Amino acid sequence: MKQLFDDVSFKCSKLVTKNYSTSFSLAVHMLSPSIRNAIYSIYGFVRFADEIVDSFHGFDKENLIDDFEKEYYKAIDSGISLNPILNSFQHTVKEYNITDDLIQSFLKSMKLDLIKSDYNNKEEYNEYIYGSADVVGLMCLKVFVKGNTDRYEQLKYEAMRLGSAFQKVNFLRDLKDDNLVLNRNYFPGVDLNSFDEKVKTAIIKEIEDDFAIAYKGLVKLPIEAKFGVYTAFVYYKKLLKKLKNTPYHEIGNSRIRVSNYTKAGLLAQSFVTYKLNLV
Protein backbone atom coordinates (compact mmCIF):
# COMPACT_ATOMS: atom_id res chain seq x y z
CA MET A 1 0.00 0.00 0.00
CA LYS A 2 3.02 2.27 -0.15
CA GLN A 3 1.88 3.39 -3.60
CA LEU A 4 -1.35 4.68 -2.11
CA PHE A 5 0.59 6.78 0.39
CA ASP A 6 2.81 8.13 -2.41
CA ASP A 7 -0.26 9.03 -4.46
CA VAL A 8 -1.74 10.86 -1.48
CA SER A 9 1.59 12.66 -0.96
CA PHE A 10 1.59 14.03 -4.50
CA LYS A 11 -2.04 15.07 -4.12
CA CYS A 12 -1.04 17.01 -0.99
CA SER A 13 1.65 18.84 -2.98
CA LYS A 14 -0.92 19.63 -5.65
CA LEU A 15 -3.30 20.95 -2.98
CA VAL A 16 -0.56 23.20 -1.57
CA THR A 17 0.09 24.59 -5.06
CA LYS A 18 -3.59 25.27 -5.76
CA ASN A 19 -4.17 26.99 -2.43
CA TYR A 20 -1.02 29.10 -2.31
CA SER A 21 -0.77 30.18 -5.96
CA THR A 22 -3.62 30.12 -8.45
CA SER A 23 -1.31 31.51 -11.14
CA PHE A 24 1.38 28.86 -10.73
CA SER A 25 -1.25 26.14 -10.39
CA LEU A 26 -2.76 27.22 -13.70
CA ALA A 27 0.63 27.11 -15.39
CA VAL A 28 1.37 23.64 -14.01
CA HIS A 29 -1.99 22.44 -15.32
CA MET A 30 -0.79 23.42 -18.79
CA LEU A 31 2.14 21.01 -18.53
CA SER A 32 1.95 17.44 -19.76
CA PRO A 33 0.20 15.19 -17.20
CA SER A 34 3.36 13.05 -17.14
CA ILE A 35 5.35 15.77 -15.33
CA ARG A 36 2.73 17.71 -13.37
CA ASN A 37 3.12 15.77 -10.14
CA ALA A 38 6.87 16.33 -10.09
CA ILE A 39 6.42 20.10 -10.47
CA TYR A 40 3.71 20.13 -7.79
CA SER A 41 6.15 18.37 -5.46
CA ILE A 42 8.87 20.95 -6.10
CA TYR A 43 6.45 23.79 -5.44
CA GLY A 44 5.21 22.16 -2.24
CA PHE A 45 8.75 21.84 -0.91
CA VAL A 46 9.85 25.39 -1.70
CA ARG A 47 6.52 26.89 -0.59
CA PHE A 48 6.65 25.25 2.84
CA ALA A 49 10.22 26.41 3.40
CA ASP A 50 9.27 29.92 2.31
CA GLU A 51 6.22 29.94 4.59
CA ILE A 52 8.39 29.01 7.57
CA VAL A 53 10.59 32.08 7.18
CA ASP A 54 7.89 34.48 5.97
CA SER A 55 4.70 33.61 7.81
CA PHE A 56 5.20 31.59 10.98
CA HIS A 57 5.56 34.58 13.27
CA GLY A 58 5.53 33.75 16.97
CA PHE A 59 7.22 30.40 16.38
CA ASP A 60 10.90 29.44 16.43
CA LYS A 61 11.51 29.80 12.71
CA GLU A 62 15.17 28.81 12.90
CA ASN A 63 14.34 25.48 14.55
CA LEU A 64 11.46 24.91 12.15
CA ILE A 65 13.60 25.38 9.02
CA ASP A 66 16.39 23.26 10.53
CA ASP A 67 13.90 20.49 11.33
CA PHE A 68 12.44 20.75 7.82
CA GLU A 69 15.92 20.31 6.35
CA LYS A 70 16.76 17.37 8.63
CA GLU A 71 13.49 15.63 7.80
CA TYR A 72 14.16 16.09 4.10
CA TYR A 73 17.53 14.35 4.35
CA LYS A 74 15.99 11.58 6.42
CA ALA A 75 13.48 11.12 3.61
CA ILE A 76 16.26 10.99 1.03
CA ASP A 77 18.16 8.37 3.05
CA SER A 78 15.17 6.17 3.87
CA GLY A 79 13.03 6.70 0.77
CA ILE A 80 9.99 7.79 2.76
CA SER A 81 8.69 10.57 4.99
CA LEU A 82 5.48 10.79 6.98
CA ASN A 83 5.44 14.44 5.90
CA PRO A 84 3.67 14.01 2.53
CA ILE A 85 5.28 17.13 1.05
CA LEU A 86 8.76 15.79 1.77
CA ASN A 87 7.75 12.31 0.69
CA SER A 88 6.64 13.46 -2.76
CA PHE A 89 9.63 15.76 -3.16
CA GLN A 90 12.21 13.08 -2.34
CA HIS A 91 10.65 10.89 -5.05
CA THR A 92 11.05 13.69 -7.60
CA VAL A 93 14.63 14.44 -6.51
CA LYS A 94 15.63 10.83 -7.09
CA GLU A 95 13.66 10.26 -10.28
CA TYR A 96 14.97 13.36 -12.06
CA ASN A 97 18.46 13.53 -10.56
CA ILE A 98 18.01 16.89 -8.84
CA THR A 99 21.46 17.55 -7.38
CA ASP A 100 22.00 18.44 -3.75
CA ASP A 101 23.79 21.70 -4.52
CA LEU A 102 20.44 23.09 -5.76
CA ILE A 103 18.68 22.07 -2.54
CA GLN A 104 21.44 23.55 -0.38
CA SER A 105 21.50 26.84 -2.29
CA PHE A 106 17.75 27.15 -1.88
CA LEU A 107 17.82 26.46 1.85
CA LYS A 108 20.71 28.89 2.30
CA SER A 109 18.65 31.73 0.83
CA MET A 110 15.66 30.79 2.97
CA LYS A 111 17.81 30.91 6.10
CA LEU A 112 19.20 34.30 5.05
CA ASP A 113 15.66 35.67 5.39
CA LEU A 114 15.89 34.93 9.11
CA ILE A 115 19.04 36.96 9.70
CA LYS A 116 19.49 39.44 6.86
CA SER A 117 17.39 42.52 6.13
CA ASP A 118 19.36 44.39 3.47
CA TYR A 119 21.26 43.39 0.34
CA ASN A 120 23.85 46.08 -0.05
CA ASN A 121 25.50 45.13 -3.33
CA LYS A 122 24.88 43.20 -6.55
CA GLU A 123 26.89 40.19 -5.38
CA GLU A 124 24.71 39.63 -2.31
CA TYR A 125 21.57 40.34 -4.32
CA ASN A 126 22.48 37.90 -7.10
CA GLU A 127 23.47 35.19 -4.62
CA TYR A 128 20.14 35.46 -2.84
CA ILE A 129 18.19 35.36 -6.11
CA TYR A 130 20.18 32.36 -7.30
CA GLY A 131 19.24 30.40 -4.18
CA SER A 132 15.66 31.60 -3.83
CA ALA A 133 14.58 31.50 -7.49
CA ASP A 134 17.18 30.41 -10.06
CA VAL A 135 17.67 26.98 -8.49
CA VAL A 136 13.91 26.44 -8.37
CA GLY A 137 13.89 27.00 -12.12
CA LEU A 138 16.76 24.55 -12.42
CA MET A 139 14.91 21.92 -10.37
CA CYS A 140 11.96 22.28 -12.74
CA LEU A 141 14.30 22.10 -15.74
CA LYS A 142 15.61 18.77 -14.45
CA VAL A 143 12.04 17.50 -14.68
CA PHE A 144 11.38 19.08 -18.08
CA VAL A 145 14.42 17.38 -19.64
CA LYS A 146 13.77 14.17 -17.67
CA GLY A 147 17.19 14.27 -16.05
CA ASN A 148 19.09 14.49 -19.36
CA THR A 149 22.37 16.17 -18.42
CA ASP A 150 23.24 17.47 -21.90
CA ARG A 151 19.87 19.14 -22.46
CA TYR A 152 19.96 20.51 -18.93
CA GLU A 153 23.31 22.19 -19.54
CA GLN A 154 22.10 23.63 -22.84
CA LEU A 155 19.08 25.31 -21.22
CA LYS A 156 20.50 26.03 -17.77
CA TYR A 157 21.45 29.69 -18.24
CA GLU A 158 18.11 30.71 -19.74
CA ALA A 159 16.20 28.83 -17.02
CA MET A 160 18.13 30.75 -14.38
CA ARG A 161 17.32 34.07 -16.05
CA LEU A 162 13.63 33.15 -16.09
CA GLY A 163 13.77 32.35 -12.38
CA SER A 164 15.49 35.70 -11.79
CA ALA A 165 12.84 37.55 -13.78
CA PHE A 166 9.99 35.97 -11.83
CA GLN A 167 11.66 36.71 -8.50
CA LYS A 168 12.45 40.33 -9.33
CA VAL A 169 8.85 40.92 -10.43
CA ASN A 170 7.77 39.51 -7.07
CA PHE A 171 10.21 41.80 -5.25
CA LEU A 172 8.88 44.84 -7.09
CA ARG A 173 5.24 43.88 -6.56
CA ASP A 174 5.80 43.12 -2.86
CA LEU A 175 8.01 46.14 -2.17
CA LYS A 176 5.68 47.54 0.49
CA ASP A 177 5.09 44.29 2.42
CA ASP A 178 8.73 43.22 2.24
CA ASN A 179 9.80 46.57 3.64
CA LEU A 180 7.12 47.29 6.23
CA VAL A 181 6.00 43.81 7.31
CA LEU A 182 9.10 41.66 6.90
CA ASN A 183 11.70 44.44 7.24
CA ARG A 184 13.57 43.33 4.10
CA ASN A 185 15.06 45.33 1.25
CA TYR A 186 16.15 43.05 -1.58
CA PHE A 187 17.09 45.64 -4.23
CA PRO A 188 20.57 46.98 -3.32
CA GLY A 189 20.34 50.48 -1.84
CA VAL A 190 16.58 50.67 -2.34
CA ASP A 191 13.85 51.02 0.28
CA LEU A 192 10.50 52.79 0.32
CA ASN A 193 12.19 56.13 1.03
CA SER A 194 14.64 55.92 -1.88
CA PHE A 195 12.26 54.26 -4.36
CA ASP A 196 11.32 56.66 -7.14
CA GLU A 197 10.48 56.60 -10.85
CA LYS A 198 14.14 56.50 -11.90
CA VAL A 199 14.85 53.52 -9.64
CA LYS A 200 11.68 51.78 -10.81
CA THR A 201 12.66 52.25 -14.47
CA ALA A 202 16.13 50.79 -13.90
CA ILE A 203 14.71 47.74 -12.11
CA ILE A 204 12.17 47.13 -14.87
CA LYS A 205 14.88 47.38 -17.54
CA GLU A 206 16.88 44.74 -15.66
CA ILE A 207 13.85 42.44 -15.54
CA GLU A 208 13.06 42.98 -19.22
CA ASP A 209 16.62 41.90 -20.07
CA ASP A 210 16.12 38.73 -18.01
CA PHE A 211 12.89 37.96 -19.86
CA ALA A 212 14.49 38.50 -23.27
CA ILE A 213 17.23 35.97 -22.55
CA ALA A 214 14.84 33.54 -20.84
CA TYR A 215 12.59 33.46 -23.93
CA LYS A 216 15.45 32.09 -26.03
CA GLY A 217 15.53 29.04 -23.79
CA LEU A 218 11.75 28.76 -23.44
CA VAL A 219 11.28 28.10 -27.16
CA LYS A 220 13.75 25.19 -26.94
CA LEU A 221 11.95 23.41 -24.10
CA PRO A 222 10.52 19.91 -24.64
CA ILE A 223 6.93 19.82 -25.87
CA GLU A 224 5.73 18.48 -22.50
CA ALA A 225 6.85 21.67 -20.76
CA LYS A 226 6.72 24.49 -23.27
CA PHE A 227 3.07 25.56 -23.02
CA GLY A 228 3.03 25.53 -19.21
CA VAL A 229 6.21 27.58 -18.94
CA TYR A 230 4.98 29.95 -21.66
CA THR A 231 1.74 30.46 -19.69
CA ALA A 232 3.73 31.52 -16.61
CA PHE A 233 5.99 33.68 -18.81
CA VAL A 234 3.01 35.56 -20.29
CA TYR A 235 1.44 36.09 -16.87
CA TYR A 236 4.61 37.56 -15.36
CA LYS A 237 5.21 39.73 -18.43
CA LYS A 238 1.70 41.11 -17.99
CA LEU A 239 2.33 41.78 -14.31
CA LEU A 240 5.59 43.55 -15.19
CA LYS A 241 3.78 45.69 -17.77
CA LYS A 242 1.21 46.65 -15.15
CA LEU A 243 3.99 47.59 -12.72
CA LYS A 244 5.69 49.59 -15.46
CA ASN A 245 2.51 51.59 -16.05
CA THR A 246 1.91 52.18 -12.34
CA PRO A 247 3.40 55.34 -10.75
CA TYR A 248 6.22 54.47 -8.38
CA HIS A 249 4.41 55.86 -5.32
CA GLU A 250 1.44 53.54 -5.92
CA ILE A 251 3.76 50.51 -6.04
CA GLY A 252 5.12 51.63 -2.67
CA ASN A 253 1.62 51.93 -1.21
CA SER A 254 -0.22 48.87 -2.53
CA ARG A 255 0.24 45.40 -4.05
CA ILE A 256 -0.33 45.35 -7.80
CA ARG A 257 -2.34 42.37 -9.04
CA VAL A 258 -3.58 40.82 -12.28
CA SER A 259 -7.31 40.07 -12.08
CA ASN A 260 -8.69 36.57 -12.61
CA TYR A 261 -10.55 37.87 -15.67
CA THR A 262 -7.28 39.10 -17.16
CA LYS A 263 -5.57 35.80 -16.30
CA ALA A 264 -8.27 33.92 -18.23
CA GLY A 265 -7.69 36.17 -21.22
CA LEU A 266 -3.95 35.64 -21.04
CA LEU A 267 -4.46 31.89 -20.98
CA ALA A 268 -6.62 32.03 -24.10
CA GLN A 269 -4.09 34.27 -25.82
CA SER A 270 -1.24 31.94 -24.86
CA PHE A 271 -3.12 28.91 -26.15
CA VAL A 272 -3.73 30.50 -29.56
CA THR A 273 -0.13 31.65 -29.84
CA TYR A 274 1.14 28.19 -28.89
CA LYS A 275 -1.21 26.34 -31.28
CA LEU A 276 -0.13 28.60 -34.15
CA ASN A 277 3.48 27.56 -33.44
CA LEU A 278 4.45 31.16 -32.72
CA VAL A 279 6.46 30.13 -29.67
Side-chain angles (χ1 to χ4, degrees), residues 122-164:
K122 277 285 188 179
E123 184 179 353
E124 292 181 350
Y125 170 67
N126 289 335
E127 183 181 12
Y128 178 84
I129 289 178
Y130 174 76
S132 65
D134 294 3
V135 299
V136 179
L138 295 179
M139 291 181 208
C140 292
L141 181 61
K142 285 278 189 177
V143 175
F144 297 156
V145 302
K146 299 178 181 177
N148 184 296
T149 302
D150 290 339
R151 292 210 69 186
Y152 174 80
E153 290 297 330
Q154 290 168 6
L155 297 170
K156 180 178 178 180
Y157 178 64
E158 290 87 351
M160 289 169 58
R161 294 297 289 267
L162 185 60
S164 291

Side-chain angles (χ1 to χ4, degrees), residues 63-92:
N63 276 341
L64 286 174
I65 195 72
D66 285 345
D67 286 345
F68 189 71
E69 179 177 6
K70 289 173 185 174
E71 289 301 315
Y72 162 70
Y73 282 108
K74 285 181 183 178
I76 285 292
D77 290 341
S78 64
I80 190 172
S81 174
L82 294 183
N83 178 329
I85 301 304
L86 295 179
N87 187 57
S88 63
F89 183 60
Q90 63 89 17
H91 274 289
T92 297

Side-chain angles (χ1 to χ4, degrees), residues 23-252:
S23 301
F24 190 79
S25 180
L26 179 65
V28 177
H29 191 69
M30 298 302 111
L31 299 171
S32 167
S34 65
I35 59 174
R36 284 179 200 161
N37 275 347
I39 302 302
Y40 285 135
S41 75
I42 291 171
Y43 183 87
F45 176 80
V46 301
R47 169 52 63 185
F48 268 27
D50 191 56
E51 286 302 303
I52 290 171
V53 299
D54 280 359
S55 301
F56 295 171
H57 311 307
F59 297 92
D60 190 333
K61 296 180 180 181
E62 186 173 350
N63 276 341
L64 286 174
I65 195 72
D66 285 345
D67 286 345
F68 189 71
E69 179 177 6
K70 289 173 185 174
E71 289 301 315
Y72 162 70
Y73 282 108
K74 285 181 183 178
I76 285 292
D77 290 341
S78 64
I80 190 172
S81 174
L82 294 183
N83 178 329
I85 301 304
L86 295 179
N87 187 57
S88 63
F89 183 60
Q90 63 89 17
H91 274 289
T92 297
V93 167
K94 291 176 179 176
E95 182 175 356
Y96 294 99
N97 190 31
I98 296 176
T99 53
D100 193 56
D101 62 297
L102 301 181
I103 311 295
Q104 278 299 305
S105 291
F106 170 73
L107 290 171
K108 179 181 178 181
S109 283
M110 293 301 97
K111 291 174 183 178
L112 280 174
D113 279 336
L114 297 178
I115 60 173
K116 192 171 178 63
S117 298
D118 297 285
Y119 291 81
N120 299 311
N121 55 60
K122 277 285 188 179
E123 184 179 353
E124 292 181 350
Y125 170 67
N126 289 335
E127 183 181 12
Y128 178 84
I129 289 178
Y130 174 76
S132 65
D134 294 3
V135 299
V136 179
L138 295 179
M139 291 181 208
C140 292
L141 181 61
K142 285 278 189 177
V143 175
F144 297 156
V145 302
K146 299 178 181 177
N148 184 296
T149 302
D150 290 339
R151 292 210 69 186
Y152 174 80
E153 290 297 330
Q154 290 168 6
L155 297 170
K156 180 178 178 180
Y157 178 64
E158 290 87 351
M160 289 169 58
R161 294 297 289 267
L162 185 60
S164 291
F166 287 173
Q167 183 69 298
K168 292 170 189 176
V169 170
N170 288 337
F171 286 165
L172 190 56
R173 178 194 60 186
D174 297 337
L175 188 69
K176 177 187 175 184
D177 285 347
D178 283 343
N179 188 259
L180 297 181
V181 179
L182 298 174
N183 190 32
R184 297 179 196 149
N185 298 305
Y186 291 111
F187 296 116
V190 176
D191 59 21
L192 285 180
N193 292 323
S194 62
F195 185 70
D196 57 20
E197 198 65 33
K198 182 179 179 181
V199 170
K200 188 195 87 167
T201 299
I203 291 171
I204 287 175
K205 174 63 168 61
E206 181 181 314
I207 300 171
E208 288 174 337
D209 290 345
D210 286 332
F211 273 126
I213 293 172
Y215 185 80
K216 296 177 182 178
L218 188 160
V219 297
K220 300 175 186 176
L221 285 172
I223 191 70
E224 295 90 345
K226 188 183 291 184
F227 182 44
V229 177
Y230 182 63
T231 300
F233 180 90
V234 168
Y235 166 73
Y236 268 90
K237 285 272 286 185
K238 179 65 175 181
L239 183 54
L240 181 64
K241 183 177 180 180
K242 194 166 184 178
L243 288 163
K244 188 175 184 177
N245 293 332
T246 301
Y248 77 90
H249 53 84
E250 289 186 24
I251 293 175

